[in-house]
Amino acid sequence: MKIKQKHQGILFIIMAGMFFALMTFFVRLSGDLPTMQKAFFRNTVAACVAIVMLARSEQGFKIQKTSWLSLFFRCLCGTIGLICNFYAIDKMNIADANILNKLSPFFAIIASYFILKENANKVEWSCVIVAFLGAVFVVKPSFDMDFVYAMIGVVGGLGAGVAYTFVRKLGMQGERGPVIVMCFSVFSCLVTLPFFVLRFQPMNLKQIICLLMSGMFATGGQLSITAAYTKAPAKEISVFDYSQVIFAALLGLLFLGQIPDWMSIIGYVLIIGSAVFKWAYTLKR
């Protein structure tokens, strides 16, 4: 049963990678719109889908009493991660923005130590260090705005990593995936709504379609990633989350003409390589 759930988790996380890569692609295609406006659209679609799913379920909108605190932190950290990630997508090569967001599994290892009391060993901590070294190559420390944009992308990965740790905790407590998605989406909508209203920028038909598509793919990704982390521990399946970087790089190359530079490629190899090594090590154990 445990092996079957693990395989399901792997399938869900690869699906999430494809969906989230398409989300970032359409966010970039939507053009020069405020980040909060894009984030609001993304979460509105996800919230509507999750609400409909819960309305049709037998348990409805029932939330376990023990879930509220974890749901709050999942929503807060996830919203911070989302906003930072969307900002980085607008300012950076989408493959670079995605790889920085994919630092989240390594941040999840750190967060799991404090939140879930899941202890990592020396090998796993070494992998975290190598991954952050890879991030240095992608970030390229300097005194220009590109460095600032990259660091915002790193914060996005941090927020996502902590959020996924709380997703795992909620899954262990038996909370339903659509409940987690609905709470996060509604919370994010409420946070971004004031900025959306105050800084609203008129959109053409193409931009509206792109944002709706980003919301649809984000919903698919959110449901998939939530299902994945409720099926199996992050340390066993998180490596497959890096499929998103491959999907994003292909989309950027084929449709946006974006080619990562040599430093970014070294960073990709270090981050993904450490993730693959950690995964293989975990399986061997």
Side-chain angles (χ1 to χ4, degrees):
M1 186 66 179
K2 184 178 181 182
I3 295 176
K4 183 179 178 180
Q5 285 191 327
K6 180 181 176 181
H7 289 165
Q8 290 174 342
I10 291 171
L11 177 62
F12 278 125
I13 209 166
I14 292 175
M15 289 172 55
M18 179 182 67
F19 287 141
F20 282 132
L22 286 166
M23 177 201 75
T24 60
F25 175 67
F26 280 104
V27 166
R28 187 62 176 262
L29 280 186
S30 64
D32 188 22
L33 294 172
T35 299
M36 292 297 192
Q37 189 165 331
K38 294 181 179 182
F40 179 80
F41 263 85
R42 177 249 191 258
N43 288 303
T44 299
V45 176
C48 291
V49 172
I51 288 172
V52 170
M53 289 179 66
L54 288 174
R56 292 181 175 181
S57 67
E58 292 183 3
Q59 294 178 284
F61 297 91
K62 182 180 178 181
I63 299 175
Q64 298 183 36
K65 293 180 180 179
T66 55
S67 297
W68 285 105
L69 185 61
S70 294
L71 277 172
F72 171 75
F73 283 112
R74 187 273 178 266
C75 295
L76 177 64
C77 297
T79 299
I80 293 172
L82 171 72
I83 293 171
C84 290
N85 181 229
F86 269 39
Y87 189 82
I89 290 168
D90 278 337
K91 302 297 183 180
M92 302 175 65
N93 179 310
I94 62 171
D96 284 359
N98 274 272
I99 196 68
L100 292 178
N101 190 249
K102 292 302 117 183
L103 289 171
S104 57
F106 295 98
F107 282 120
I109 291 175
I110 298 172
S112 294
Y113 176 78
F114 296 100
I115 297 170
L116 302 178
K117 309 303 179 184
E118 293 180 348
N119 296 322
N121 58 32
K122 292 181 180 179
V123 173
E124 291 169 328
W125 285 120
S126 297
C127 290
V128 171
I129 294 172
V130 173
F132 288 139
L133 177 62
V136 172
F137 281 91
V138 179
V139 170
K140 305 175 189 67
S142 61
F143 295 99
D144 57 20
M145 287 303 296
D146 289 339
F147 173 64
V148 176
Y149 300 148
M151 288 307 299
I152 291 174
V154 172
V155 174
L158 170 62
V162 178
Y164 291 149
T165 303
F166 280 107
V167 168
R168 174 67 181 154
K169 183 177 181 179
L170 287 162
M172 293 167 65
Q173 294 173 342
E175 191 55 83
R176 293 173 294 158
V179 168
I180 301 172
V181 174
M182 182 200 68
C183 290
F184 165 62
S185 301
V186 172
F187 182 92
S188 296
C189 285
L190 293 175
V191 170
T192 55
L193 180 60
F195 301 94
F196 173 76
V197 173
L198 293 174
R199 298 193 59 192
F200 176 78
Q201 185 173 315
M203 300 174 289
N204 57 38
L205 181 60
K206 176 189 173 183
Q207 290 175 315
I208 294 174
I209 292 174
C210 284
L211 288 181
L212 289 175
M213 292 296 289
S214 73
M216 289 174 59
F217 285 120
T219 304
Q222 197 63 54
L223 290 170
S224 298
I225 200 76
T226 300
Y229 281 112
T230 54
K231 291 289 183 181
K235 65 170 65 179
E236 292 185 9
I237 64 172
S238 60
V239 67
F240 295 97
D241 201 16
Y242 291 89
S243 59
Q244 179 180 338
V245 180
I246 298 173
F247 291 130
L250 288 173
L251 289 170
L253 177 64
L254 295 175
F255 299 103
L256 302 176
Q258 296 178 345
I259 303 176
D261 61 28
W262 66 272
M263 290 189 71
S264 289
I265 292 174
I266 291 176
Y268 297 173
V269 171
L270 288 173
I271 295 172
I272 297 177
S274 62
V276 172
F277 177 81
K278 180 176 67 66
W279 172 72
Y281 172 79
T282 301
L283 288 185
K284 186 176 180 180
R285 291 179 63 200

